[in-house]
Every structure is written in C-alpha cells, then in structure tokens.
Amino acid sequence: MSASCDTVSLEFGCSPEQVWAVLTDAARYGEWYGYPRSLEIVEVDPAFTAGGKISFKGLRGTSVITACEPGEHFAVSSSTETNDFSISPTAEGCRVSLFTTLNGEIDWSGTAAARSRANREMLHRLRRAAGIEKERESELPLPKPEAPQRGSLIKNVFSGMLLGYKNPLKRRAGAARDSIALAQLIDNTEADVVVHTNAALAGLALALRE
C-alpha cells in the first residue's frame, strides 16, 4: 500500500548549482532534511551517486539514492518513503519541487495532506540552508528612525533638568563625611546642575522653534 503527496514547489533566488551543493552535502542534512524532525547523516556509501546508500542517525536500515542528476534531479528512498527533488532554472534563480511517495504496508489515509505541508516547511529549511533568506534579509532597507514628537521632546527636556538636581546628590551622598567633603559635594552638585540646566534649556529652545 502506498500514497502520494501533492507536489510542493518553492522559488529559490539562486542557481541550481547552489541548491545541488546543499542536496549533496552530508554535513548539511541536519539543517533541513527530514520529517517530523531533521535527520543527520552518519554515512554515505560510497558517495552521492545513483545507487549510493545513506545511513541516518537514529534510523534503522539504510536509504538508497534512486536518482542523482547534478543540478536537476535527486531522489532518496527508504522502506517508508521516497523523496523526489527536481530543480528547474528560472529567470530569477530556480524552482525546487518535492514529491513524496509513502511506501510500505501502512495505512497512510489522512497523512498525505499533512506530509505535503511538512514538505513545504522542508523546502523552506533547504532554502535557508542555501543562504537565500539570509541574503534577502541583508538586502532589506534599514527602518528610518522616527522623528521625536514635540510633546515627548519637551518631556525629556524637563526630565533632564530634574536629573540635574537629583542624580549628583544621590551619587555623592556617601562621600560627605566632614565639612570639607560637604563643601566639595555642594560645589560638584552645583556644577552638574548648571550643565544639565543649560542642556535642558537648549533642548527646550529647539522644541519651541518647531
């Protein structure tokens, strides 16, 4: 008994060769291949060629590479499923399609639709593994900083004035051990207040000119 899933396709903004490089890199399979979790390859014997055997970590038995046409077609089959990848060039890169056949003496009723959704996620992971989505994210323009609203700017101005009186005393309260230290504390606090006040007045002037 077997069941076929709907073919799932996804556009890739890269060449077929770039996708093929990931499809035939045993060290990368843990990033994208498998359902419901990604599978790591333990061994490929002898290599990624038709008839080659793949051993996956945590799975009994081996899978067999049933198709291996560089840059175009790759398929791997196990006792329970066959995953068939096809790659076709497009104007902006390529299109990767995945068709899965569920094998074995198992009733797959109601499973095919869920597996098709999972295959779409697998293709998205494959695209990330190829670095396509990272490239697209780096091309996105950075958001422009929002201009401060007049009300919030005035609020910040008066907050700065208040800090000019509160923070210096709070920082230096523990230093006032005698009259000399107290005098120094007052002088330093007055200097801080002047700096904060001047900055606050300058900001207030700018806000009123808008």
Side-chain angles (χ1 to χ4, degrees):
M1 183 182 296
S2 63
S4 298
C5 303
D6 293 337
T7 300
V8 177
S9 300
L10 193 64
E11 301 295 325
F12 283 54
C14 67
S15 67
E17 290 74 21
Q18 287 175 272
V19 178
W20 188 258
V22 179
L23 283 174
T24 55
D25 186 344
R28 306 291 302 278
Y29 267 60
E31 299 177 32
W32 67 275
Y33 184 82
Y35 169 83
R37 58 183 176 81
S38 296
L39 299 172
E40 296 180 8
I41 289 180
V42 176
E43 182 184 14
V44 180
D45 182 23
F48 279 96
T49 58
K53 296 181 179 180
I54 301 177
S55 298
F56 289 101
K57 182 178 180 180
L59 295 185
R60 295 180 179 179
T62 58
S63 298
V64 179
I65 299 173
T66 54
C68 192
E69 302 172 30
E72 296 180 3
H73 186 201
F74 181 81
V76 58
S77 181
S78 69
S79 60
T80 58
E81 65 183 33
T82 298
N83 289 316
D84 193 303
F85 297 86
S86 60
I87 309 171
S88 55
T90 64
E92 297 182 354
C94 64
R95 179 182 299 107
V96 180
S97 299
L98 172 56
F99 176 76
T100 296
T101 302
L102 303 173
N103 309 318
E105 298 300 322
I106 300 175
D107 184 5
W108 295 108
S109 301
T111 304
R115 183 54 191 271
S116 293
R117 291 192 294 271
N119 281 354
R120 180 170 296 278
E121 174 58 28
M122 191 190 304
L123 288 183
H124 277 284
R125 295 200 305 266
L126 174 60
R127 189 165 67 177
R128 285 195 293 270
I132 307 308
E133 301 205 353
K134 291 182 180 179
E135 292 177 7
R136 290 182 176 178
E137 288 174 3
S138 65
E139 294 173 0
L140 294 176
L142 295 175
K144 294 182 179 180
E146 296 183 2
Q149 299 296 320
R150 179 171 178 176
S152 61
L153 181 57
I154 294 176
K155 179 180 178 181
N156 291 337
V157 166
F158 284 103
S159 295
M161 292 176 65
L162 182 60
L163 285 175
Y165 290 93
K166 291 173 63 178
N167 286 351
L169 286 171
K170 185 177 180 181
R171 290 197 306 268
R172 303 186 183 112
R177 303 299 182 186
D178 52 36
S179 58
I180 297 177
L182 181 59
Q184 185 64 44
L185 169 64
I186 294 173
D187 290 342
N188 291 340
T189 300
E190 288 179 348
D192 274 4
V193 168
V194 170
V195 171
H196 281 282
T197 302
N198 288 341
L201 290 175
L204 180 59
L206 290 174
L208 294 176
R209 287 170 56 185
E210 293 183 352

